[in-house]
Amino acid sequence: MSDKEKITLLASDGMLIKRPLLITKEKKYIGFKEKEWEELI
């Protein structure tokens, strides 16, 4: 897959981009911080 094809695909479907969001009763976590998430889960 060429870079142009990848960009077109990502632009057409935003769900292909990793945007982790974790919501707990106490706090909202944006972005993936592995150590922080391990402590929560």
Side-chain angles (χ1 to χ4, degrees):
M1 185 178 274
S2 72
D3 285 346
K4 186 176 180 177
E5 290 171 319
K6 292 174 191 174
I7 292 168
T8 301
L9 184 59
L10 288 171
S12 69
D13 186 358
M15 295 300 291
L16 295 174
I17 298 172
K18 184 178 179 181
R19 293 177 282 181
L21 177 63
L22 177 63
I23 300 172
T24 67
K25 291 180 181 179
E26 297 84 26
K27 196 172 177 183
K28 296 175 185 160
Y29 300 88
I30 300 172
F32 182 70
K33 298 173 185 123
E34 187 172 357
K35 286 188 177 195
E36 189 176 358
W37 283 44
E38 282 180 1
E39 292 172 7
L40 294 168
I41 299 177

